[in-house]
Amino acid sequence: MRSFASRIDRVARRDLACGLLFSTVALAGFFDLYTNPQLLDSLGRGPDPGPALLPLVILSLIMFGGVLLLLKGMAGWASKRRSPAERQTPDAAFSRHAHAAALLASLLVLPSVESWLGFMVAAWLFAAPWLVWLEYRRHAKRRRALLVGITMAAMLALSLHLIFITLLGVAL
């Protein structure tokens, strides 16, 4: 008889573990937020939402992502199917690490580009290539990847500008 852990494939176990980690971190943050009366009292007082808004939004996003990962892991565990594309080869592992290194390098360059070109342009220039690459990797269609990536990058830059600069008045 096989053990419980051996029945769950590696991808499903990883998704379950990551979802559990993110959900636990979010729950701990919510507990900390709601047990801090000074921070919580600032929420919803007049037109200024107070310093509790950003942690509340971030914790909600972390919890949402954790729940999605848990659901994905449970679905993978229930299906017990693995496609050949999910099998990791040494080249795929190196490629995955190279992409992560490129993302970190672009994050390091982002502040200097932002001071030179401005927030909106820098945010778009950072997000567009990554979103085009992710879309191309998913569907392998160049036109679709360009259209979706460029559009989503513009929407992301615009929404960041509206939230942080217009609504919250953060000086960038």
Side-chain angles (χ1 to χ4, degrees), residues 4-29:
F4 178 75
S6 66
R7 284 186 275 159
I8 303 174
D9 71 359
R10 191 179 57 195
V11 174
R13 281 186 285 173
R14 183 187 63 210
D15 289 340
L16 287 169
C18 289
L20 185 63
L21 174 72
F22 284 128
S23 298
T24 304
V25 167
L27 285 174

Side-chain angles (χ1 to χ4, degrees), residues 39 41-55 168:
L39 190 60
D41 288 342
S42 70
L43 191 62
R45 302 270 176 161
D48 183 15
L53 177 67
L54 190 59
L168 297 176

Side-chain angles (χ1 to χ4, degrees), residues 119-120 159-172:
F119 177 76
M120 287 277 290
S159 63
L160 286 173
H161 186 275
L162 287 174
I163 291 170
F164 287 104
I165 296 174
T166 305
L167 293 177
L168 297 176
V170 176
L172 295 177

Side-chain angles (χ1 to χ4, degrees), residues 103-117:
L103 177 63
L104 288 175
S106 64
L107 279 172
L108 292 173
V109 173
L110 181 63
S112 60
V113 172
E114 188 266 331
S115 65
W116 182 49
L117 295 175

